[in-house]
Amino acid sequence: ETGVTQSPTHLIKTRGQQVTLRCSSQSGHNTVSWYQQALGQGPQFIFQYYREEENGRGNFPPRFSGLQFPNYSSELNVNALELDDSALYLCASSQSGVNTGELFFGEGSRLTVL
Amino acid sequence: GESVGLHLPTLSVQEGDNSIINCAYSNSASDYFIWYKQESGKGPQFIIDIRSNMDKRQGQRVTVLLNKTVKHLSLQIAATQPGDSAVYFCAENRAGRRALTFGSGTRLQVQP
């Protein structure tokens, strides 16, 4: 069974740039959620994708967008990067219908915005 | 308002002792609670969960207690080991929501 994998693991961008983060869900999982984790804080929900559609969104502006592909992998795109976007971005996969807490997280992508 | 918070940011225990990590929540509609462990450089790892129709649930070396009257839950780790050193998060959800709401975490340090 393959776990959740994310890429890249680390990246540095400057203000105003755009970034794309990628996630491969765990085998058999059809739902992907993205979370932002600032240093010393708990993860904050960005959005969730199911059947290639956004299925719920947290309090994040429209410059945070995503995609889910037929193989259930997903991308998180952030436009017009701001310094406060510096964080660990976590992808979590799950199987729809299963307890929401049974999320399987990847190791995250550490984004630094200068 | 919505919040899930923790009483102590850092907890230091001796190896072999029992650890208790506390968490308060404010939304009485919350009906599902989860504890996660996050080791340095890794993503959160599911430990144990509990629904609001229960007040206690046990796993391997871990127990979660839920007190709905005071909106408080705790994670008890028996015979704490060095490998238990990590940041522990409580999280909550309720019916119809897609997202988990996480607290800010407690760092558990296990002293040899």
Side-chain angles (χ1 to χ4, degrees), chain A residues 35 37 45 55 99-101 106, chain B residues 32 36 38 43 51 98-100:
Chain A
Y35 285 78
Q37 186 175 23
F45 176 70
N55 192 35
N99 291 339
T100 309
Chain B
Y32 182 58
Y36 282 88
Q38 187 172 25
R51 293 204 173 273
R98 305 293 180 194
L100 294 177

Side-chain angles (χ1 to χ4, degrees), chain A residues 16-19 62-65 77-82 85:
Chain A
Q17 285 189 311
Q18 177 266 345
V19 68
R63 60 189 185 84
F64 285 78
S65 63
N77 298 289
V78 187
N79 293 323
L81 284 166
E82 301 177 0
D85 295 333

Side-chain angles (χ1 to χ4, degrees), chain A residues 51-69:
Chain A
R51 291 187 174 178
E52 302 176 51
E53 303 247 341
E54 189 179 288
N55 192 35
R57 189 179 184 92
N59 190 26
F60 281 82
R63 60 189 185 84
F64 285 78
S65 63
L67 287 171
Q68 187 181 31
F69 300 99

Side-chain angles (χ1 to χ4, degrees), chain B residues 26-108:
Chain B
S26 61
N27 196 319
S28 51
S30 300
D31 60 6
Y32 182 58
F33 304 89
I34 315 98
W35 283 99
Y36 282 88
K37 172 186 180 183
Q38 187 172 25
E39 297 175 274
S40 181
K42 296 189 176 182
Q45 179 184 7
F46 176 91
I47 302 172
I48 191 168
D49 60 0
I50 188 168
R51 293 204 173 273
S52 58
N53 60 352
M54 303 172 68
D55 53 22
K56 180 178 179 179
R57 192 166 186 218
Q58 289 184 288
Q60 188 175 15
R61 276 201 312 119
V62 295
T63 301
V64 56
L65 299 177
L66 175 63
N67 185 329
K68 295 179 287 294
T69 302
V70 296
K71 299 190 185 69
H72 180 272
L73 70 159
S74 65
L75 177 70
Q76 300 178 2
I77 304 173
T80 312
Q81 302 168 1
D84 295 326
S85 293
V87 177
Y88 289 81
F89 293 97
C90 63
E92 61 88 9
N93 204 353
R94 50 195 173 278
R97 289 185 70 230
R98 305 293 180 194
L100 294 177
T101 300
F102 283 79
S104 56
T106 292
R107 180 174 299 281
L108 177 64

